[in-house]
Amino acid sequence: MNRLSAAGRRAVYLVLILVWLVVMLFPLLAFTLARGGQVRLGAQEGAHLRLFMVQADGTAGVGVERTGGRRGPDGTCRQTRVFFLLWDGQGEPARYCTCQTADGGLAVTPACPP
């Protein structure tokens, strides 16, 4: 008796192919990080994901920065979250908001306005 339907088998094959693809792309990501120091996915301005190397006294690993756009009461704000995957040392995650002010400057606050 066939336990999986044709659609179920296709879903299993798709998951296996995606896992294989991630495994094959990992060395490329590691070499790119080691050579350039960072990898950025997404728009230059606006929502993006950035992976960067952390190499400081007593600290080594990878930082992950995720930024997304958000409308504030006075204009556009960007919420940024940073966390670290460290194999040497410790790092605290951070969250902050950068908003465009009326005079064209930037204001950085711990949280974006609702």
Side-chain angles (χ1 to χ4, degrees):
M1 230 166 39
N2 192 357
R3 296 183 124 182
L4 284 176
S5 67
R9 277 195 303 270
R10 285 188 200 117
V12 169
Y13 292 149
L14 179 63
V15 168
L16 288 174
I17 289 171
L18 290 175
V19 168
W20 176 81
L21 185 61
V22 168
V23 168
M24 292 294 112
L25 288 177
F26 182 76
L28 178 64
L29 176 66
F31 284 126
T32 304
L33 268 176
R35 188 191 64 191
Q38 72 175 351
V39 174
R40 187 179 195 140
L41 305 171
Q44 277 301 84
E45 296 298 324
H48 69 266
L49 177 72
R50 184 173 75 101
L51 303 171
F52 57 95
M53 295 295 297
V54 177
Q55 297 172 336
D57 289 340
T59 306
V62 176
V64 180
E65 174 186 280
R66 192 177 72 153
T67 300
R70 184 181 263 195
R71 295 288 296 166
D74 299 329
T76 303
C77 296
R78 287 193 310 224
Q79 176 82 29
T80 302
R81 294 182 176 130
V82 181
F83 67 93
F84 302 97
L85 304 168
L86 301 176
W87 48 83
D88 187 19
Q90 294 181 353
E92 293 292 322
R95 179 186 295 197
Y96 59 92
C97 187
T98 307
C99 296
Q100 186 95 21
T101 60
D103 62 354
L106 293 176
V108 178
T109 59
C112 284

